[in-house]
Amino acid sequence: MSLTHDQILQLAPDEASKKAGQQLANSAKWVEKYSHEKALWGDCQGSGSKPYKTIIDLQNLAFKCSCPSRKFPCKHGLGLLLLFASQEKTFSKQEALAEHVAEWISKRDAKAENKDQKKEEKPIDEKAQQKRIEAREKKVDAGIDELRIWLKDVVRTGIMQVPQNPYQFNHNITTRMVDAQAGGLAAQLRKMNQINFFEEGWQIQLSRQLASVYFLTEAYQNKSHLDELWQKELNTLIGWPTSKETVLEQTPVTDHWLIASKTYQEEANITTEKIWLYGYEHQQFALLLNFYAGNQLPQHIYNTGNTLHADLCFYPGVRPVRAIIRQQHALQPGFADLIGVSSLQTVLEQIAGQLATQPFLADIPFILSAMKIIFENGSWYLQDWDRSVFSLSNTEDNCWDLLAISKGEPFSCFVLYEYKQLHIHSVWQHQNFYFIQ
Amino acid sequence: MIVSTEILKTALLGTDKYMPATTEQYALMHSCETGEKESTFLRQANISLLMDEAGQTIRTSQVELPACRAEQKETLDPHKTEQLKTILTSNDEALFQFMIWYCNQYHKIVPSFLVPKILNKAILHVKHAAPLLSVCGETGRWLCSLNEKWKPLYTAPDDTADWELGNLTQRKNHLLALRKTDPELALQLLEKSLSAENAANRLELLTVINEQLSAQDETFLLTLLKDKSQKVKDVATQLLAQIHGSEINTKLVQALQQVLSVKEERHLLIAKKKVLHLNETITLPDDIFKLGIEKVSAVKGMKDPLYWALQLISLLHPEQVSSALHVNENDLMALLLKMPRFNEILPFIVSSVLKYRHQAWAIELIKSEQAVSVDLLNCIAAAEQPNYTAYFEKEQIAKLAEHLMDGNYSEYKSSFAKKLIDWLEQNPYQQTPQFYQLMGLHLPADMLPKLQAITGTEKEDYQFKYFKNQLMETIRVIEIKQTILNS
């Protein structure tokens, strides 16, 4: 497994660990350091009398360290991995794993096998499962009823006062939706807290989101009138989980996928990882969505701008975008140039078309080509060849970075559309790929 | 369709107070009716806003940004770019400055995606931005022309604005720059505005007069002797004392002649020897003590007349002191060096040497091997300085190391580096972590084995552990420097 400096730093639990890890990426700090195709291990001299023993499992990235730090991975793990990334030659290459390393790795392997076995062995109790579904349905229905009452209360009194208390006005109902096992609705309510209430336009955004959530509850309550796909789509939007097995039963799509964007969002100790992919052959987008609790490590160590050759299975729905990897064939560095939509008028038409098919769409992805970035009266826009412009939601700093990268010349980019604005996630020009953080 | 303003109005006021106008509703809106106001409104709002979003029209803009000129210099290679990225993210200022020096030294520019980050750093210190701007190339120049925040980096500074609207530091810098090019104009500017300033500002701005001080400044400085602030009066007096031939200067010279003289004494019957003679019975007129000369000796055991004489020496130019005592400068220094309890006298002489940057006296003081200041090296021409650094290796090695940290990251001689490390091992707490980091940029790579041997040593005492930790940082800096220079 070869990781870049940036990728390793992304594993750090906080800024202090990043800095400390970088300082430990120094051969002088390590009394011993060894490498093996399966693992890295070394002894780092800390403030204690005995050096700390650090091990890194390179097959399924994991860290172990004898230091007392509660951070995960600790600075020693990060330091050792950073040092390996920059000065691999300074590590003594070993044919066999050291005893304590082999013991830890084998324990991990055994644990993983047991987990799989347990899954396979466990028979499904259909009666109990049905009971659980019914109980959940009751909970969800009750939660939705409460949500509808809350929404009506909000519009009865008006939203004028919301900016005075933007983080609390929906706190209780959001928690209630979590209790009602309607995670999808809770997520939609949380999204309202991301509105910038200090900026003009919040009124429309909040009204739209309130109305959309209400509309979703109506659709859910009337889902029996809809076809099976829509029922699944609505279930997913409300927060019903679709089992991995069900998804893997879908026909896989094999393609070379460009890793177009990778973002992390942390909320209530849960980190949401969103990886956007684009298939070269099928010209289709896919979203790998992962959730990590606490200090759990990311499942995929993918770098934007690389190409993933894999079979993906899509979650069933009206417009299937979310997917999981059924089989990964290869992860290739670099990317092939892509020709995307070059007219913003076409983008607008496609947005209208997609909203008509699925009005609850939150993000609509596009690959755009021959775009320029411009600014006018303090606002930033994407401009196409016939001077049509589309407003950007990237930060001011992001936009200057984009201008510096493109030098005012046309470029290709991956963007997400969200309520009348585009957000540039990555750009490529002259065979160079840039992920906009 | 209900226009979004109607929806917005209802959303803000609440359905209790307002409902969207329904006179021109379409059939779709009628289907939203539920008999309950809130429910009807939420349905209408959803459809209306969704239709509004789906029906948005494209706007055109004729804005066309000016083209960025092609780069003249080569871009930094990917490996070094990665290093620079790490340095920028870890906010490692010493290594960042080294990287900038490297780029300028080898005529490289940074890749364009790093330019905004470097411009953000440059704007914090506009006066010292030139090396940073140089590595930003044409992209930097182009971005600065577009971004109001970065514009000052490439715009000629508006001096008048600096003086009229700037903060104290900007105004002082402006005045200093003007004093260097047009001392008279700077004096006029100061004369005009000084009375309107508060005492602290007056004191700060007045120090600028020290640059190109001449007889033409005397009249203005004399007016300041009536200033309300004692500190301003003191500075004005000191400046007047430095003006050759000024009234105060003349008084001080006369006072010096009264207290101190050079006499010839017979030596071994035939030879004659010059000696400094202190007139211990003299009483100086009171007005001398209003010119910044302290009446009572502040040095234990030093008699008042000697204390006066030394204060006068530190105020006056060495040439003027020598001429007043009818002896040449070298002979006078020789006589001073022979004085008893020289250590107590030394600070006054050093003060004079540093004030007037007197090379001959600086060399004599260094050669005397008394515990003198490393700053004396600054009084010696750069080319000659290496001849005198060895004098400081014993007593002031750390200060000398700092003095030798030049802008070109030149390496210490191995012998000096070894002595420095040995000294630091005994006195690790005397230097800051920043010193250890900067030291890494000046130590030769052949010091690495020695440093690694030290860091590999096991000792339990805290002093050694601290030293070891600092050396590890030094090793990291050396390794990064070597990677940058050799890759």
Side-chain angles (χ1 to χ4, degrees):
Chain A
M1 182 184 293
S2 84
L3 295 175
T4 66
H5 200 273
D6 283 347
Q7 286 172 319
I8 298 165
L9 289 181
Q10 278 178 19
L11 303 174
D14 53 36
E15 284 302 313
S17 301
K18 266 186 199 176
K19 201 168 179 191
Q22 281 176 327
Q23 279 169 350
L24 285 175
N26 174 353
S27 55
K29 301 260 180 188
W30 295 86
V31 183
E32 291 173 330
K33 46 191 186 302
Y34 303 102
S35 71
H36 182 273
E37 57 179 9
K38 284 186 176 177
L40 298 177
W41 65 99
D43 291 355
C44 182
Q45 188 59 59
S47 52
S49 57
K50 286 181 184 171
Y52 298 124
K53 292 197 172 296
T54 309
I55 316 173
I56 301 168
D57 180 351
L58 290 177
Q59 288 177 310
N60 296 300
L61 196 63
F63 298 82
K64 187 179 193 281
C65 187
S66 62
C67 75
S69 170
R70 292 171 72 180
K71 289 180 182 175
F72 193 79
C74 68
K75 60 182 180 180
H76 306 103
L78 289 168
L80 188 65
L81 201 52
L82 283 167
L83 188 60
F84 185 69
S86 59
Q87 296 175 43
E88 194 181 333
K89 283 176 191 167
T90 62
F91 282 66
S92 315
K93 210 159 191 173
Q94 300 291 300
E95 290 298 316
L97 292 169
E99 199 181 328
H100 71 289
V101 181
E103 192 185 339
W104 179 63
I105 299 266
S106 59
K107 261 187 196 173
R108 280 180 53 78
D109 290 345
K111 217 173 174 181
E113 269 175 32
N114 281 343
K115 212 175 168 184
D116 289 344
Q117 272 175 6
K118 270 181 200 168
K119 267 187 190 170
E120 281 165 18
E121 285 163 11
K122 220 175 177 181
I124 298 166
D125 182 349
E126 284 183 3
K127 238 183 176 179
Q129 196 182 35
Q130 188 56 37
K131 223 176 170 181
R132 280 199 299 275
I133 292 172
E134 280 168 15
R136 184 169 185 153
E137 265 175 358
K138 266 187 189 173
K139 269 188 173 181
V140 171
D141 289 345
I144 284 177
D145 287 343
E146 269 190 55
L147 175 62
R148 286 169 67 82
I149 291 169
W150 178 82
L151 287 165
K152 286 175 195 169
D153 285 347
V154 170
V155 295
R156 188 179 301 117
T157 51
I159 58 171
M160 210 185 291
Q161 307 300 325
V162 173
Q164 289 174 13
N165 199 7
Y167 302 105
Q168 285 298 321
F169 91 101
N170 62 351
H171 180 261
N172 290 343
I173 194 68
T174 308
T175 318
R176 176 72 189 90
M177 287 306 104
V178 175
D179 292 343
Q181 293 185 298
L185 287 173
Q188 300 227 22
L189 288 166
R190 275 193 212 106
K191 237 177 141 185
M192 292 176 194
N193 301 117
Q194 289 168 17
I195 296 171
N196 184 353
F197 288 99
F198 298 100
E199 209 172 67
E200 199 46 46
W202 67 266
Q203 303 90 336
I204 287 279
Q205 283 187 56
L206 182 60
S207 305
R208 190 184 183 282
Q209 288 186 24
L210 289 168
S212 176
V213 172
Y214 187 79
F215 192 43
L216 177 59
T217 60
E218 289 226 313
Y220 182 76
Q221 286 181 336
N222 294 300
K223 66 177 178 180
S224 56
H225 304 297
L226 300 168
D227 62 32
E228 198 188 343
L229 268 185
W230 256 113
Q231 287 187 20
K232 281 182 179 166
E233 181 84 39
L234 288 170
N235 277 345
T236 309
L237 286 167
I238 292 291
W240 280 88
T242 309
S243 73
K244 205 174 167 183
E245 290 72 29
T246 314
V247 181
L248 290 173
E249 280 168 14
Q250 309 293 314
T251 317
V253 181
T254 306
D255 206 334
H256 285 85
W257 304 88
L258 165 72
I259 303 166
S261 160
K262 184 166 80 167
T263 57
Y264 293 94
Q265 198 179 349
E266 202 184 324
E267 203 165 322
N269 210 23
I270 299 284
T271 304
T272 309
E273 180 190 57
K274 283 184 178 179
I275 303 173
W276 280 97
L277 307 173
Y278 182 76
Y280 285 97
E281 196 184 320
H282 293 85
Q283 300 190 347
Q284 183 180 2
F285 288 98
L287 172 66
L288 305 179
L289 197 57
N290 298 300
F291 302 96
Y292 305 114
N295 291 326
Q296 221 178 338
L297 283 175
Q299 192 183 340
H300 310 288
I301 308 287
Y302 294 149
N303 206 8
T304 51
N306 288 345
T307 306
L308 174 72
H309 182 207
D311 304 341
L312 299 189
C313 289
F314 285 82
Y315 280 71
V318 181
R319 290 193 69 83
V321 177
R322 191 179 168 192
I324 51 177
I325 298 172
R326 186 175 189 176
Q327 196 182 352
Q328 179 179 322
H329 303 294
L331 182 61
Q332 296 148 347
F335 69 106
D337 204 3
L338 279 168
I339 305 295
V341 183
S342 59
S343 157
L344 290 172
Q345 179 61 43
T346 311
V347 169
L348 216 51
E349 284 161 11
Q350 288 186 11
I351 291 167
Q354 295 206 32
L355 285 174
T357 325
Q358 214 280 46
F360 303 108
L361 279 180
D363 302 319
I364 306 176
F366 290 97
I367 297 282
L368 305 179
S369 284
M371 294 290 150
K372 282 184 181 180
I373 182 166
I374 61 157
F375 61 90
E376 189 179 20
N377 303 325
S379 299
W380 289 83
Y381 300 94
L382 211 53
Q383 188 184 48
D384 69 8
W385 57 273
D386 73 348
R387 298 188 181 278
S388 297
V389 291
F390 215 119
S391 173
L392 287 174
S393 63
N394 292 75
T395 62
E396 174 93 12
D397 283 351
N398 267 184
C399 292
W400 283 107
D401 285 344
L402 283 162
L403 195 60
I405 289 166
S406 65
K407 297 185 183 185
E409 296 296 317
F411 55 83
S412 298
C413 55
F414 166 73
V415 298
L416 283 180
Y417 166 84
E418 191 179 1
Y419 193 65
K420 295 189 177 178
Q421 284 193 312
L422 295 176
H423 190 97
I424 303 179
H425 280 241
S426 48
V427 297
W428 52 97
Q429 192 186 36
H430 311 310
Q431 296 302 311
N432 290 317
F433 189 96
Y434 304 92
F435 175 56
I436 308 299
Q437 302 265 359
Chain B
M1 184 59 57
I2 298 172
V3 286
S4 50
T5 46
E6 281 291 290
I7 296 293
L8 193 64
K9 194 172 172 183
T10 314
L12 285 167
L13 296 172
T15 52
D16 265 359
K17 291 184 185 157
Y18 191 81
M19 274 299 279
T22 54
T23 47
E24 290 178 21
Q25 283 180 13
Y26 284 71
L28 195 56
M29 286 296 132
H30 284 299
S31 66
C32 294
E33 290 289 347
T34 60
E36 192 185 13
K37 276 194 297 184
E38 291 75 29
S39 177
T40 305
F41 168 70
L42 282 162
R43 283 175 165 204
Q44 287 177 341
N46 185 59
I47 291 173
S48 173
L49 294 173
L50 202 56
M51 298 288 266
D52 175 55
E53 187 180 352
Q56 58 187 308
T57 51
I58 204 88
R59 189 173 81 76
T60 57
S61 167
Q62 295 311 310
V63 168
E64 191 167 359
L65 299 179
C68 175
R69 281 163 58 184
E71 296 292 354
Q72 304 296 316
K73 294 185 198 168
E74 205 182 316
T75 308
L76 208 59
D77 68 55
H79 182 73
K80 290 190 184 82
T81 301
E82 194 67 23
Q83 293 275 6
L84 180 57
K85 257 171 78 182
T86 312
I87 289 166
L88 278 167
T89 46
S90 59
N91 230 346
D92 207 330
E93 193 57 29
L95 281 168
F96 173 71
Q97 292 300 340
F98 173 72
M99 204 64 207
I100 296 297
W101 170 84
Y102 174 86
C103 290
N104 284 315
Q105 189 74 4
Y106 294 93
H107 309 290
K108 305 273 183 193
I109 52 164
V110 299
S112 63
F113 72 94
L114 287 177
V115 169
K117 287 179 184 63
I118 293 179
L119 291 178
N120 279 337
K121 273 183 163 284
I123 199 69
L124 297 175
H125 307 285
V126 181
K127 299 265 174 194
H128 305 104
L132 275 74
L133 290 179
S134 167
V135 304
C136 292
E138 292 298 334
T139 311
R141 185 184 290 274
W142 178 68
L143 287 173
C144 288
S145 71
L146 300 171
N147 187 328
E148 286 301 322
K149 189 176 85 174
W150 296 329
K151 228 168 215 170
L153 288 169
Y154 268 107
T155 324
D158 182 353
D159 288 350
T160 329
D162 249 12
W163 176 250
E164 285 167 8
L165 305 166
N167 59 31
L168 182 63
T169 317
Q170 286 168 327
R171 298 178 69 208
K172 193 180 163 187
N173 286 341
H174 166 79
L175 197 64
L176 194 62
L178 192 63
R179 182 77 181 168
K180 281 177 185 168
T181 52
D182 192 345
E184 265 184 61
L185 192 62
L187 183 68
Q188 283 170 19
L189 202 59
L190 203 58
E191 273 178 317
K192 252 192 231 171
S193 56
L194 202 68
S195 56
E197 301 289 339
N198 64 34
N201 287 6
R202 287 204 300 278
L203 190 67
E204 199 63 34
L205 295 172
L206 192 57
T207 55
V208 171
I209 293 289
N210 206 15
E211 181 72 31
Q212 304 216 29
L213 187 68
S214 71
Q216 285 175 325
D217 303 315
E218 189 182 356
T219 320
F220 169 63
L221 289 171
L222 281 170
T223 63
L224 293 180
L225 295 180
K226 289 172 192 162
D227 197 277
K228 285 179 197 166
S229 160
Q230 186 57 44
K231 284 182 181 169
V232 172
K233 277 190 219 170
D234 290 348
V235 172
T237 312
Q238 282 175 23
L239 289 167
L240 281 164
Q242 292 175 40
I243 300 173
H244 212 301
S246 72
E247 194 189 331
I248 287 180
N249 178 267
T250 313
K251 274 186 188 176
L252 293 173
V253 172
Q254 283 167 357
L256 179 68
Q257 285 171 327
Q258 285 175 307
V259 186
L260 201 64
S261 57
V262 176
K263 288 190 174 174
E264 285 191 340
E265 279 181 0
R266 195 164 290 281
H267 184 62
L268 298 171
L269 292 173
I270 315 158
K272 281 182 180 175
K273 181 175 110 176
K274 284 180 181 170
V275 288
L276 277 173
H277 174 74
L278 186 72
N279 187 350
E280 291 182 5
T281 55
I282 189 86
T283 308
L284 290 177
D286 274 353
D287 59 344
I288 285 292
F289 300 111
K290 287 174 187 164
L291 301 177
I293 304 292
E294 286 178 35
K295 197 170 185 178
V296 181
S297 169
V299 182
K300 202 179 171 186
M302 186 183 283
K303 287 179 180 168
D304 289 345
L306 177 60
Y307 188 60
W308 302 335
L310 292 171
Q311 288 180 80
L312 290 163
I313 288 173
S314 76
L315 275 175
L316 297 167
H317 194 287
E319 276 176 23
Q320 214 179 2
V321 174
S322 310
S323 126
L325 299 179
H326 310 294
V327 64
N328 73 41
E329 290 160 55
N330 289 346
D331 287 350
L332 179 57
M333 176 48 75
L335 291 173
L336 287 168
L337 286 169
K338 280 180 201 161
M339 282 182 78
R341 296 166 69 185
F342 182 70
N343 278 348
E344 289 170 1
I345 296 166
L346 187 67
F348 297 92
I349 303 170
V350 169
S351 156
S352 166
V353 173
L354 293 178
K355 193 185 288 172
Y356 296 102
R357 301 211 156 222
H358 199 274
Q359 176 160 325
W361 275 23
I363 291 172
E364 288 305 315
L365 281 175
I366 292 170
K367 280 183 180 171
S368 74
E369 292 198 44
Q370 304 285 343
V372 288
S373 166
V374 171
D375 294 337
L376 289 173
L377 285 171
N378 293 328
C379 304
I380 301 172
E384 287 181 49
Q385 282 183 20
N387 302 331
Y388 300 99
T389 53
Y391 288 97
F392 297 95
E393 284 183 9
K394 204 173 173 188
E395 298 291 338
Q396 299 192 50
I397 194 161
K399 282 195 174 172
L400 178 61
E402 270 178 41
H403 178 85
L404 295 175
M405 286 172 182
D406 59 1
N408 284 325
Y409 297 95
S410 41
E411 288 186 351
Y412 296 150
K413 283 181 189 160
S414 291
S415 57
F416 173 73
K418 273 179 199 156
K419 281 182 196 167
L420 179 62
I421 299 298
D422 291 342
W423 182 85
L424 283 170
E425 191 171 356
Q426 299 307 315
N427 308 280
Y429 294 128
Q430 290 204 14
Q431 295 304 319
T432 60
Q434 286 78 15
F435 174 86
Y436 285 93
Q437 210 180 25
L438 281 169
M439 182 175 77
L441 293 168
H442 294 271
L443 283 180
D446 62 15
M447 285 302 292
L448 269 176
K450 182 178 168 74
L451 301 183
Q452 277 157 351
I454 295 171
T455 55
T457 312
E458 286 301 321
K459 275 189 197 172
E460 278 304 302
D461 65 295
Y462 286 109
Q463 179 167 303
F464 183 75
K465 276 187 180 173
Y466 173 81
F467 178 58
K468 204 166 116 172
N469 279 337
Q470 298 308 323
L471 276 198
M472 283 176 179
E473 179 60 15
T474 306
I475 292 174
R476 184 180 77 92
V477 172
I478 297 176
E479 281 176 352
I480 293 175
K481 183 187 167 189
Q482 291 308 314
T483 316
I484 293 168
L485 290 176
N486 302 330
S487 61

